[in-house]
């Protein structure tokens, strides 16, 4: 009865509302003919990809899904519905478009001509099989927006790196960034500079974990932004957090999610440098809290997963600074010290955690054993 009601009675708007909120809609399209028909509509496809991946990254993921999803009409609908066509995206698309001649590669490898480099190139680039019609449409749309400033052979990530004082130490970079603030604003607001999304193994329908793990080469074949480039973004925000608001102004609301871990780790690495100078003194809890709180107010999060990652970063210095960090985190999260330790311990079972560190586990357990039993968390 309910299936028949969906098929015949529900308004189209409600069906679209349901469809675009389903991450993997294949089963939904199989079970309902009306939704199956709607799923082929370019406007509905555009609404789905924007809702699922955001205006800033939707074109990237549309290309990753492939030609079964993306054609010119869908690309038009995505841009018409607010999908961001940044100049940097087009630059990176231009770098990765076009398939290799596999026969030529095989012959060169067989004859020992540049074999090591050719073996690497056999990985299929993320935009290599994009239909030429879609590629031409996106270039034309970008040309209409940016005109003579399109700069297909440019690289806005490198521009951003220099504008934000990337080659300078963290002490001198703020002066460079302040000097170039107008160029940075122009790069973001006018040219819609947005880094491509970081790797996330469960981000894309049909993605397989092994295929998503790529070496740190540039440009990366999978299209995602490397850690090195994401660190450029995170460093600029740590110097000038107002940059986050510039990105949000152009629809890049995922910025806080994309570099959240790097921001929280980076803020603490600046306060607790790996090689402290003779003039360094340990920040107190008030100083740590003030710095992290201002980042949290912008939109970043201090999750238990992030806390464990921070402990991993400072693994060799836990005896020196581990307790003050955890006491600060407990205060920020408005919970008892022991409760925080228990939550961190539970988070060690998170399958997404990069590594399981025995020293970190030992340190948490030691603190728990030294804490009053009366404060234990109520599960």
């Amino acid at each position: 009865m309910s299936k028949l009601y969906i098929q015949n009675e529900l308004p189209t708007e409600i069906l679209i509302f349901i469809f675009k909120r389903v991450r993997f809609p294949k089963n939904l399209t199989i079970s309902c003919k009306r939704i199956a028909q709607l799923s082929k509509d370019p406007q509905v496809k555009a609404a789905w990809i924007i809702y699922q991946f955001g205006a800033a990254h939707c074109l990237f993921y549309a290309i990753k899904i492939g030609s079964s999803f993306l054609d010119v009409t869908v690309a038009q609908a995505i841009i018409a519905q607010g999908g961001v066509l940044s100049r940097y995206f087009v630059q990176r698309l231009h770098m990765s478009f076009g398939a290799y001649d596999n026969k030529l590669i095989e012959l060169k490898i067989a004859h020992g001509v540049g074999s090591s480099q050719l073996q690497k190139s056999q990985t299929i680039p993320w935009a290599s099989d994009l239909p030429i019609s879609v590629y031409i449409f996106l270039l034309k749309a970008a040309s209409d927006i940016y005109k003579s400033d399109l700069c297909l052979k440019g690289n806005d990530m490198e521009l951003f790196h220099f504008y934000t004082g990337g080659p300078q130490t963290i002490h001198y970079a703020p002066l460079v960034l302040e000097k170039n603030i107008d160029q940075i604003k122009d790069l973001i607001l006018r040219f819609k500079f947005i880094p491509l999304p970081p790797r996330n193994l469960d981000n894309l329908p049909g993605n397989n974990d092994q295929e998503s793990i790529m070496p740190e080469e540039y440009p990366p074949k999978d299209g995602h932004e490397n850690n090195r480039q994401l660190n450029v973004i995170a460093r600029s925000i740590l110097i000038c957090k107002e940059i986050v608001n510039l990105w949000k102004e152009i629809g890049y609301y995922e910025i806080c999610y994309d570099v959240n871990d790097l921001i929280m780790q980076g803020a603490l690495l600046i306060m607790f440098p790996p090689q402290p100078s003779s003039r360094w003194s340990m920040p107190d809890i008030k100083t740590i809290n003030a710095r992290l709180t201002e980042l949290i107010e912008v939109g970043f999060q201090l999750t238990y997963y992030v806390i464990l990652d921070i402990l991993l970063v400072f693994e060799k210095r836990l005896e020196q600074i581990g307790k003050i960090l955890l006491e600060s985190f407990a205060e920020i999260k408005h919970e008892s010290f022991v409760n925080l330790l228990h939550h961190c311990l539970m988070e060690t079972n998170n399958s997404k955690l990069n590594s399981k560190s025995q020293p970190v586990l030992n340190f948490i357990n030691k603190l728990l054993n030294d804490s009053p039993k009366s404060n234990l968390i109520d599960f």
Side-chain angles (χ1 to χ4, degrees), residues 104 211 220 259 353 368:
L104 178 60
E211 290 177 352
V259 294
L353 200 64
L368 277 170

Side-chain angles (χ1 to χ4, degrees), residues 100-351:
Y100 291 95
D101 185 333
N102 290 325
K103 187 61 180 177
L104 178 60
I105 290 173
E106 290 171 7
L107 288 170
K108 284 188 174 182
I109 291 174
H111 289 82
V113 180
S115 58
S116 60
Q117 187 61 36
L118 288 167
Q119 291 283 5
K120 290 181 181 179
S121 70
Q122 284 186 302
T123 304
I124 300 173
W126 66 285
S128 62
D129 60 351
L130 180 70
I132 292 177
S133 57
V134 179
Y135 174 70
I136 292 172
F137 166 77
L138 291 173
L139 286 189
K140 177 66 167 58
S143 179
D144 290 343
I145 296 169
Y146 303 114
K147 304 190 186 318
S148 60
D149 291 320
L150 179 57
C151 301
L152 274 181
K153 294 292 186 181
N155 189 320
D156 284 352
M157 179 63 78
E158 291 185 358
L159 271 181
F160 188 81
H161 174 66
F162 288 114
Y163 284 157
T164 56
Q168 308 297 325
T169 67
I170 195 65
H171 301 292
Y172 295 105
L175 299 174
V176 177
L177 190 150
E178 183 179 1
K179 177 184 174 183
N180 295 325
I181 192 64
D182 288 339
Q183 288 92 329
I184 294 168
K185 287 180 178 178
D186 195 51
L187 194 62
I188 295 174
L189 298 180
R190 181 181 168 204
F191 295 108
K192 304 293 187 289
F193 169 67
I194 294 169
L196 295 186
R199 291 176 184 85
N200 187 349
L201 299 185
D202 61 355
N203 235 350
L204 191 62
N207 248 17
N208 144 335
D209 287 6
Q210 195 62 36
E211 290 177 352
S212 298
I213 301 173
M214 304 296 290
E216 290 280 301
E217 57 181 342
Y218 194 87
K221 294 292 192 297
D222 67 349
H224 290 278
E225 213 66 78
N226 282 340
N227 283 332
R228 182 175 181 180
Q229 282 69 44
L230 291 171
N231 272 298
V232 169
I233 302 299
R235 190 173 188 256
S236 71
I237 294 170
L238 289 169
I239 295 170
C240 179
K241 66 181 187 297
E242 286 73 21
I243 290 177
V244 169
N245 294 324
L246 295 177
W247 270 313
K248 289 181 179 179
E249 191 174 330
I250 63 169
Y252 181 27
Y253 300 107
E254 298 79 16
I255 176 59
C256 292
Y257 174 81
D258 286 351
V259 294
N260 187 77
D261 294 16
L262 294 175
I263 287 291
M264 290 303 187
Q265 291 173 19
L268 291 166
L269 281 168
I270 292 171
M271 286 188 281
F272 297 90
Q275 297 178 327
S277 69
S278 58
R279 294 178 295 176
W280 178 80
S281 59
M282 184 176 305
D284 57 20
I285 289 178
K286 184 178 179 181
T287 302
I288 298 169
N289 286 6
R291 180 57 172 143
L292 295 186
T293 299
E294 68 176 359
L295 293 170
I296 290 169
E297 288 173 350
V298 174
F300 297 99
Q301 296 182 1
L302 183 66
T303 64
Y304 299 112
Y305 177 90
V306 169
I307 289 172
L308 276 180
D309 257 359
I310 290 168
L311 294 179
L312 286 168
V313 169
F314 293 104
E315 181 181 71
K316 295 182 179 178
R317 300 171 64 190
L318 289 178
E319 292 299 326
Q320 178 193 11
I321 66 175
K323 189 172 182 181
I324 191 173
L325 287 175
L326 288 167
E327 287 174 343
S328 174
F329 299 157
E331 191 170 307
I332 289 171
K333 294 180 78 63
H334 306 292
E335 62 180 307
S336 74
F337 183 68
V338 173
N339 281 7
L340 178 82
L341 293 175
H342 274 283
H343 280 125
C344 289
L345 209 54
M346 289 189 291
E347 191 65 25
T348 59
N349 295 319
N350 190 331
S351 61

